[in-house]
Amino acid sequence: MEWTEERIEALRALWMQGLTASQIAERLGGVSRNAVIGKAHRLGLSARPSPIKREPGAKPVPMPRPARVAPPQHHAEPAPMPAAPPAPQPQLSAKAPGAAPAGGGKGCMWPIGDPKQAGFHFCGAPSEAGRPYCTQHCAAAYHKRQVDAA
DNA sequence: CCCTGATTCGC
DNA sequence: GCGAATCAGG
């Protein structure tokens, strides 16, 4: 497998969202969890808000679970965020960041992974009203792409 | 034994 | 740079 911008971005996003290396590897597809961890380290990310320990004699600082789900919506659907949505967008990769947040734009619609890949999915994180992307990572990435494309 | 991330090291 | 093997821990 090749570490394309897309995949690296997805890795970053997922990693920062608190997903485990196994989950990330699963979603990305074609890589083992070791590969994900190794890449994550090479990318300079290993520190993330999560309950992982460092240094034997360090402080066992209690981390208040960042959690990926913030708003306590009392809707019926808990928004499960499927691993492989059966309805992939036609063309929205490469130079087409404007992934139209069509339909039930509930969560973040930022495309994570390669639409051609099996593990492709949308971020799904809670997004601001009127905004198709979550503020955590995707909105920034979205903006960055627009700048890059320009 | 299942899992986690961290590190090493041959490629 | 990559990732399997390994390490250290829960």
Side-chain angles (χ1 to χ4, degrees):
Chain A
M1 255 307 173
E2 180 184 332
W3 282 110
T4 62
E5 289 297 325
E6 304 276 328
R7 291 166 65 80
I8 291 175
E9 226 175 274
L11 166 56
R12 274 211 164 92
L14 293 169
W15 184 270
M16 293 314 284
Q17 282 166 34
L19 271 76
T20 67
S22 297
Q23 288 291 344
I24 297 173
E26 233 173 66
R27 285 175 160 73
L28 256 49
V31 288
S32 65
R33 77 177 193 91
N34 286 330
V36 169
I37 292 172
K39 183 59 180 177
H41 278 234
R42 265 169 251 126
L43 284 172
L45 19 81
S46 25
R48 59 170 166 171
S50 83
I52 53 179
K53 298 208 306 184
R54 280 232 146 251
E55 310 250 340
K59 332 168 168 186
V61 50
M63 273 300 209
R65 267 270 114 187
R68 311 126 188 168
V69 185
Q73 300 180 16
H74 57 284
H75 282 132
E77 301 288 300
M81 183 167 163
Q89 305 301 320
Q91 295 283 12
L92 54 70
S93 187
K95 297 292 198 290
K106 193 166 182 184
C108 174
M109 293 300 286
W110 178 261
I112 289 177
D114 192 329
K116 300 187 295 300
Q117 289 292 318
F120 170 74
H121 70 291
F122 292 107
C123 173
S127 57
E128 273 185 35
R131 189 176 295 199
Y133 307 115
C134 69
T135 56
Q136 199 168 22
H137 155 271
C138 304
Y142 175 53
H143 183 258
K144 177 182 181 298
R145 279 206 183 179
Q146 287 189 315
V147 172
D148 285 343

